[in-house]
Amino acid sequence: MPKRTRLLFVDDEPAIRLTLPVILTQEGFEVTAAASVPEALEYIHQERFDILLTDLNIGAPADGFTVASAMRRTQPEAVVLILTGYPDFDTALRALREQVDDYLTKPADIKQLVSLIQEKLRAPARKLPLQTKRVSAVLRENADGILQQWYEAVSHDKELSRVSLPKDERINYLPEMLSQLTDAFHLERMATALHAEGARRHGRMRREQGYSVMQMLKEGHILHHVISATVQENLLFIDLSTLVPDMLQIGESLHEQMEWSVRAFAAATRILLITYDSRLEGGRVLLLREAGYDTTPVSGTSEAKRAVESSSAFDLVLVGHHAPRSEREDLLRWLRHTLPGARVLMLTKAHEGGFAGADCTVEADDPQRVLDTIQQCAPLVPYMQLNRPA
């Protein structure tokens, strides 16, 4: 009896996984079915196959490339075929033709599929040696695409698009950051002081542009996502022995650069927070620090005066509302005399009214209104964002 052609079929859809292997078995193939990438990889490393037929998206988009990459490395003579439900993905597939023998569009015509398999088995394509690369090389080659994908994602993000910027100002530090990440030597070492200064410039620039800390962090998250997607799309060309350490290093470097940026962002405006109710202090401190402000909390008028006398480096004094009005008015006059360069924002009780001599007042019951008033009262870089041309 002639040896049957062994075929590994990978698809996460139970209905297809139950029906197609039966049909292929009837056509003379010995079929092994896998429902996930880990299961497929286990089969590839334990058994020998003549053909791999894998869905492109197994659980996650482009997971099929992971399976194809493993098969090409461990069993280079096997025929590798991709099933895709997205014909518009043809361009990416054509770029991989040297390592993927062919592809079919779902739902696959059985006669066409069997005919294609037999054709590939009769006349296997000459496999060129697989030229693998470090992640850094792949990112460097795809830098322009990464920048464009990141810009489009940020531009369509509801929260980030609230800050209206031209493209060059939006991209800002991103090319420099990518350049550092795609430097192969950079993947082997910690970032230098030069890289740290670039990240600090980015943090200061984002403050000038009117960003919040959370918006900066979201931009970093989007960049990490685009980089990961680019790596996944190019798995066939990456040296898998270096993939995990390279991705870990990239993640650490991105985190480190964001930390430098956020520190620079937060260092520009110092707030003295005066509270008269200890129950409110922790929440207000957390609110201000999450918004990126360098915040010094003090309790009561006496402690506030000691803080001002020991350090006059405050850009804004935020005066709480849980004290008699007369006490707060006296403190406001004292601040005007002792700290003339700082702006003073008075938190007020409901319907309390304004304070003569204060730069700003806001009722204390709405945290978001308080934050908005702080940004208006003491812009992150004085008046730059407010005076930006429409």
Side-chain angles (χ1 to χ4, degrees), residues 9-143:
F9 175 61
V10 189
D11 199 305
D12 62 342
E13 295 185 40
I16 298 178
R17 202 167 58 251
L18 288 173
T19 56
L20 187 56
V22 173
I23 297 172
L24 291 172
T25 300
Q26 294 171 349
E27 294 289 339
F29 298 100
E30 181 183 334
V31 182
T32 300
S36 66
V37 172
E39 186 179 0
L41 295 180
E42 186 174 354
Y43 281 127
I44 288 171
H45 287 289
Q46 292 181 359
E47 303 181 28
R48 303 297 297 179
F49 296 95
D50 303 294
I51 304 156
L52 169 66
L53 177 62
T54 179
D55 185 27
L56 178 61
N57 300 320
I58 314 163
D63 268 354
F65 288 151
T66 303
V67 180
S69 176
M71 181 64 86
R72 183 60 73 219
R73 285 176 171 80
T74 59
Q75 303 184 43
E77 299 307 315
V79 172
V80 177
L81 304 174
I82 294 283
L83 284 172
T84 173
Y86 303 96
D88 58 348
F89 208 64
D90 291 357
T91 302
L93 289 171
R94 280 197 295 269
L96 298 170
R97 277 291 176 80
E98 289 185 356
Q99 304 305 329
V100 174
D101 292 282
D102 217 324
Y103 71 97
L104 297 98
T105 302
K106 283 185 171 183
D109 179 84
I110 299 302
K111 291 184 178 180
Q112 179 188 2
L113 172 59
V114 172
S115 174
L116 178 62
I117 292 173
Q118 293 172 344
E119 174 191 337
K120 297 299 180 182
L121 289 172
R122 283 195 305 268
R126 178 177 175 271
K127 303 297 189 302
L128 298 175
L130 188 61
Q131 301 297 319
T132 58
K133 312 168 186 177
R134 296 292 292 266
V135 170
S136 56
V138 169
L139 297 184
R140 184 165 55 249
E141 292 168 4
N142 291 274

Side-chain angles (χ1 to χ4, degrees), residues 316-319 325 328 332 343-349 352-364 369-370 372-374 376-377:
L316 176 71
V317 180
L318 185 59
V319 181
R325 183 180 179 95
R328 287 179 285 152
L332 176 56
R343 299 176 72 80
V344 180
L345 191 159
M346 305 295 291
L347 296 180
T348 65
K349 304 179 180 72
E352 184 176 23
F355 282 76
D359 295 288
C360 311
T361 60
V362 62
E363 290 186 10
R369 282 184 59 197
V370 171
D372 292 343
T373 304
I374 289 172
Q376 294 168 12
C377 190

Side-chain angles (χ1 to χ4, degrees), residues 133-147 173-189 191 195 223 226-228 230-231 246-247 249-251 253-254 257:
K133 312 168 186 177
R134 296 292 292 266
V135 170
S136 56
V138 169
L139 297 184
R140 184 165 55 249
E141 292 168 4
N142 291 274
D144 290 343
I146 291 171
L147 289 172
Y173 172 64
L174 193 62
E176 184 177 347
M177 180 184 293
L178 269 181
S179 177
Q180 294 164 15
L181 293 174
T182 57
D183 178 357
F185 177 65
H186 176 65
L187 293 175
E188 307 294 341
R189 58 182 171 81
H195 297 151
L223 176 60
V226 172
I227 286 174
S228 298
T230 301
V231 169
D246 281 3
M247 289 303 293
Q249 182 62 57
I250 285 173
S253 296
L254 279 171
Q257 293 196 43

